[in-house]
Amino acid sequence: MEKLRYALYTGCTARESTPELLKSTLAVAEKLGIELVLLDEASCCGASHLQDYDDFLSLVLNARNICYAEKLGLTMVTICNTCQLNTAMTKHRLDTNPQLKAKVNVKLAEVGLEYKGTSEVTHFLYAIIQDYGLENLSKKVNVPLSQFNIAPFYGCHNIRPSELQNLSNGGENPYNPTSLDDLIIACGGNNVDYDAKNKCCGFHAELQSPRTAAVLTGNALSGAMDANADWMVTPCPLCHLKLDVQYHSASKAIGRDVKLPVLHMPQMVGLALGCTPAELGLQHHVTKVNFV
Amino acid sequence: MDEIKSQQVTFKLFRFNQETDYIPYYNTYVLDITHEEVILDVLNRIKWDHDGSLSYRRSCRHGICGICSIKVNGKAILACKSRLFDLIEVFGTELTIEPLSTKRALKDLIIDKEDFWNKHEQVTPFLVSDIDENPTLETLVVPDDAEKLLEADYCIQCGACHYSCPALEINDRFIGPAAFAAAFRFAADVRDDASLERLHVVNEEAEGVWDCVKCMECAEACPKDVNPIEKITKLHNMIFQAGIAKNNVATRHAVGFAHSIEKHGLLDEGELVRYSEGNIGVLKHMPEAFEMWKNGKIVLPWNMPKSKNLDEVKKLIQSSSTVKF
Ligand code: SF4
Ligand code: SF4
Ligand code: SF4
Ligand code: SF4
Ligand code: FES
């Protein structure tokens, strides 16, 4: 296979509150022989909150990020669902609206950049599945996760709105997504099914609507527990923060003690590939990863 | 002529009569269906051939009246528009048919939509305009202005989005995606005189747009591509543009992103929470922050990472900002 190369848009979270995500992403890429070029110039995607405040500014900043992937001539991969949503949304809006693209490019010209639309934007989960291939991945698995029941938590912003996401996620159906389940199986694990796997964790309303956010987190954790999961896995660091850190408020909100270890998608793959817990930053979790 | 394809499907059908039943139950039917049939055809066949007491709503059979919306395996659909073969492709050959909201069921698939209409009423879902009752000329809307509605006027009030919204499910004061789309539809209309009042309604805490969790369920559920969450984002923008954004945790959370990006390129997560909550409010996050700090999840201010070429970001924020708070 030709060596896969991508421009990695880390987002903010992987450089701050989930350092284990960046670490495990790089570890897995190395094991699989995938080259990731870090986009250190990139700024925050706005997480859909800057979009609420100043839509045009958010387009300009996200277009600038994509410019740096275009300069390298590489597909941009994201490791956060919300980064994926906002970056892909920017790309889609600019690629389908020449006037808007021209307006954004007037601004970008001030800093010597031009958005062309030549780089694709895809989440690392889908790059692994579509470009690397699950069969190739299974061949590299040397520590199959066969003793674990693993609950996939997809996170909204990789699967909805499907009209946008299907441009990069291989046509995943948001009402019955399969990618993360397939990945668990490729790693030798047992995927468990539960209602909340494709639902929202509530992250984005946590400050202004804490009860709503906590109930949603609680539903996800309790659904996974009822399905006999040993732990959960998610491709989104924001879902991760919510599920890993906020179990106190979630338990209080739904009146039941809920708590499960939650792994980032690359941490799970890394375990199956034989990376050590330290290489995957497993010590950074608030809900302790007690099984390795 | 195309060949008729057929397939055996097991239907689990929600049954409940508010007047006689304590709890709902499900009837199971195994039917052969063809590739030409929609869900409504199946409901008709069950009613006509198996059980005349089955109740559901339908009228236009053309995806226009919005009355036949139900859920199949949790996906909100119009019964008269959703082809069985499409559903089988997603869910396989066991389909569970339920009302849009099981807790609001009156009889079988018929629900009480009172809460839906009340939310609509809250946003004044009609044009408010002081018009001459005997006009000599029609009121023209130029194409550019008509486009500003972004097809929000395609809503058929089916409730698919409303009963798929998790924020509404938990917080029944939340106005919800359909009524927000309606609020936008009229607030964005150049002929309307009540835009500001409507923006005030959707700007309320607990009820308004700020309590949306951004799950995109509404965009996915809508059979008419109204894309309510896009309109909700527009309402956020209009609230800031109209200068009526209140100084609260939700608005500061949005504005805080711009501040943080200007300073670091990246988001300063801790500072964003402090800025949003204020110096007192932030204290309630301390237990969690301490847990995070213990596990190496908090970056201290002097270690805050910055984007390379930060001067570009600063310059773009200066030149491309379109609103002030
Ligand atoms: S979504 Fe979050 S992690 Fe991703 S760039 Fe935006 S703020 Fe940063
Ligand atoms: S699941 Fe949570 S973090 Fe993920 S997209 Fe939804 S709200 Fe955001
Ligand atoms: S995006 Fe907001 S309004 Fe739409 S369904 Fe989700 S919470 Fe409800
Ligand atoms: S916005 Fe779409 S889903 Fe919601 S009520 Fe209107 S037509 Fe139905
Ligand atoms: S019967 Fe009118 S929309 Fe389905």
Side-chain angles (χ1 to χ4, degrees):
Chain A
M1 187 164 58
E2 209 183 306
K3 191 176 169 87
L4 294 170
R5 286 185 82 214
Y6 303 102
L8 175 65
Y9 177 46
T10 65
C12 324
T13 310
R15 297 196 188 236
E16 297 176 51
S17 53
T18 58
E20 71 278 6
L21 171 61
L22 183 54
K23 206 169 178 191
S24 56
T25 300
L26 298 176
V28 163
E30 185 169 339
K31 286 257 182 209
L32 297 179
I34 298 174
E35 188 182 339
L36 297 176
V37 185
L38 259 71
L39 291 175
D40 288 327
E41 298 86 354
S43 67
C44 171
C45 75
S48 80
H49 300 288
L50 179 66
Q51 283 72 1
D52 286 345
Y53 175 53
D54 193 333
D55 182 58
F56 182 68
L57 176 62
S58 79
L59 285 174
V60 172
L61 293 175
N62 279 307
R64 174 179 169 276
N65 295 344
I66 305 173
C67 284
Y68 279 98
E70 291 182 352
K71 276 186 161 189
L72 296 166
L74 296 174
T75 291
M76 176 196 267
V77 294
T78 57
I79 47 176
C80 165
N81 289 20
T82 301
C83 298
Q84 175 63 27
L85 172 78
N86 290 300
T87 313
M89 183 79 90
T90 300
K91 176 175 171 60
H92 184 63
R93 285 175 63 191
L94 298 186
D95 290 353
T96 52
N97 184 341
Q99 287 104 318
L100 190 61
K101 182 169 147 182
K103 244 178 98 181
V104 165
N105 271 332
V106 169
K107 298 296 174 189
L108 290 174
E110 292 170 13
V111 295
L113 293 170
E114 185 194 352
Y115 173 85
K116 300 195 183 80
T118 48
S119 280
E120 298 304 316
V121 180
T122 189
H123 191 286
F124 192 41
L125 168 67
Y126 297 107
I128 291 179
I129 292 179
Q130 287 160 33
D131 300 349
Y132 192 83
L134 289 179
E135 262 182 42
N136 292 330
L137 178 67
S138 342
K139 282 185 216 145
K140 295 243 171 168
V141 168
N142 50 20
V143 189
L145 307 176
S146 45
Q147 76 270 42
F148 300 120
N149 291 334
I150 307 168
F153 189 78
Y154 281 84
C156 320
H157 295 169
N158 254 5
I159 54 176
R160 283 182 293 267
S162 57
E163 217 177 272
L164 173 76
Q165 309 291 8
N166 284 353
L167 299 174
S168 66
N169 74 7
E172 182 116 278
N173 192 293
Y175 294 100
N176 192 13
T178 54
S179 59
L180 211 44
D181 288 85
D182 296 342
L183 188 71
I184 293 170
I185 295 166
C187 291
N190 310 305
N191 57 321
V192 307
D193 195 23
Y194 63 113
D195 273 355
K197 73 174 182 184
N198 55 351
K199 302 283 180 330
C200 182
C201 73
F203 179 89
H204 296 279
E206 194 191 320
L207 296 183
Q208 60 272 35
S209 204
R211 198 181 84 89
T212 299
V215 172
L216 289 173
T217 304
N219 291 347
L221 287 166
S222 70
M225 286 167 75
D226 287 344
N228 256 327
D230 299 311
W231 41 278
M232 299 171 86
V233 64
T234 177
C236 176
L238 309 184
C239 304
H240 183 272
L241 281 173
K242 198 81 185 72
L243 298 161
D244 173 57
V245 181
Q246 308 268 344
Y247 58 88
H248 283 299
S249 54
S251 300
K252 223 170 113 192
I254 65 162
R256 168 182 176 185
D257 270 330
V258 282
K259 190 174 176 182
L260 270 183
V262 186
L263 267 64
H264 298 278
M265 181 276 292
Q267 288 179 316
M268 174 183 77
V269 177
L271 282 180
L273 295 176
C275 297
T276 64
E279 283 170 334
L280 302 172
L282 288 172
Q283 74 279 12
H284 287 299
H285 293 219
V286 170
T287 303
K288 284 298 156 205
V289 180
N290 47 13
F291 51 82
V292 282
Chain B
M1 224 176 86
D2 284 351
E3 191 193 336
I4 295 198
K5 293 185 211 97
S6 91
Q7 169 98 53
Q8 195 174 70
V9 180
T10 305
F11 294 97
K12 267 182 68 193
L13 189 57
F14 177 95
R15 302 299 305 267
F16 178 67
N17 184 345
Q18 195 196 37
E19 286 174 5
T20 55
D21 300 334
Y22 285 115
I23 47 165
Y25 57 100
Y26 289 80
N27 283 156
T28 303
Y29 298 94
V30 181
L31 302 177
D32 284 318
I33 55 103
T34 73
H35 78 282
E36 292 175 320
E37 287 181 292
V38 293
I39 284 280
L40 183 57
D41 294 317
V42 169
L43 296 177
N44 287 338
R45 278 168 58 191
I46 294 174
K47 185 172 178 72
W48 297 337
D49 302 344
H50 299 273
D51 186 347
S53 73
L54 174 66
S55 301
Y56 50 93
R57 287 190 164 127
R58 86 275 177 276
S59 176
C60 72
R61 297 198 302 111
H62 285 286
I64 292 297
C65 72
I67 203 83
C68 65
S69 45
I70 53 169
K71 281 187 182 167
V72 175
N73 290 26
K75 175 179 171 25
I77 54 138
L78 293 180
C80 70
K81 214 184 140 195
S82 259
R83 284 158 33 97
L84 275 153
F85 269 52
D86 293 343
L87 291 166
I88 292 169
E89 210 182 297
V90 182
F91 298 117
T93 54
E94 267 186 42
L95 300 179
T96 304
I97 303 180
E98 290 173 317
L100 272 187
S101 166
T102 50
K103 68 180 183 201
R104 290 184 178 79
L106 294 175
K107 186 150 189 298
D108 304 334
L109 303 179
I110 296 176
I111 62 163
D112 178 357
K113 255 171 92 172
E114 190 188 3
D115 71 305
F116 177 87
W117 299 116
N118 287 345
K119 295 292 166 57
H120 255 74
E121 205 177 319
Q122 217 177 322
V123 302
T124 321
F126 44 81
L127 270 189
V128 178
S129 184
D130 204 7
I131 52 158
D132 178 358
E133 286 184 21
N134 301 300
T136 48
L137 283 173
E138 60 224 283
T139 312
L140 293 179
V141 178
V142 298
D144 275 355
D145 283 338
E147 267 167 32
K148 285 190 188 131
L149 302 187
L150 299 173
E151 300 177 353
D153 47 347
Y154 285 10
C155 174
I156 56 171
Q157 281 132 1
C158 66
C161 60
H162 185 87
Y163 296 110
S164 300
C165 171
L168 192 55
E169 182 75 22
I170 296 164
N171 162 18
D172 58 19
R173 289 177 61 201
F174 188 56
I175 290 174
F180 284 141
F184 171 80
R185 186 258 168 267
F186 293 102
D189 194 308
V190 285
R191 299 164 296 180
D192 185 72
D193 294 332
S195 295
L196 200 59
E197 285 83 345
R198 259 189 227 97
L199 289 179
H200 278 295
V201 172
V202 302
N203 190 22
E204 285 298 316
E205 277 163 60
E207 296 172 9
V209 287
W210 305 103
D211 286 62
C212 162
V213 297
K214 299 174 185 287
C215 65
M216 314 275 145
E217 292 273 7
C218 50
E220 201 60 49
C222 179
K224 290 282 159 188
D225 288 336
V226 169
N227 198 353
I229 178 66
E230 179 195 42
K231 278 68 191 178
I232 293 169
T233 305
K234 291 276 174 203
L235 289 171
H236 279 109
N237 294 159
M238 288 159 85
I239 287 169
F240 280 114
Q241 284 153 5
I244 60 164
K246 299 177 194 170
N247 188 352
N248 62 27
V249 60
T251 53
R252 287 193 302 266
H253 186 220
V255 179
F257 272 81
H259 293 328
S260 197
I261 296 172
E262 183 160 18
K263 217 161 141 196
H264 309 283
L266 300 174
L267 193 66
D268 183 341
E269 297 168 325
E271 171 57 18
L272 179 71
V273 175
R274 195 207 57 78
Y275 176 80
S276 308
E277 292 279 18
N279 286 330
I280 307 285
V282 73
L283 294 177
K284 66 173 177 274
H285 297 284
M286 281 306 156
E288 274 155 8
F290 179 67
E291 282 297 314
M292 289 174 70
W293 174 76
K294 254 182 22 198
N295 292 294
K297 286 179 156 309
I298 302 255
V299 175
L300 294 166
W302 49 89
N303 285 330
M304 186 48 215
K306 287 192 193 310
S307 302
K308 246 196 202 159
N309 303 359
L310 185 58
D311 52 318
E312 290 175 16
V313 176
K314 288 185 197 247
K315 199 163 168 192
L316 289 173
I317 291 190
Q318 291 303 326
S319 80
S320 310
S321 292
T322 59
V323 266
K324 281 212 164 61
F325 177 60

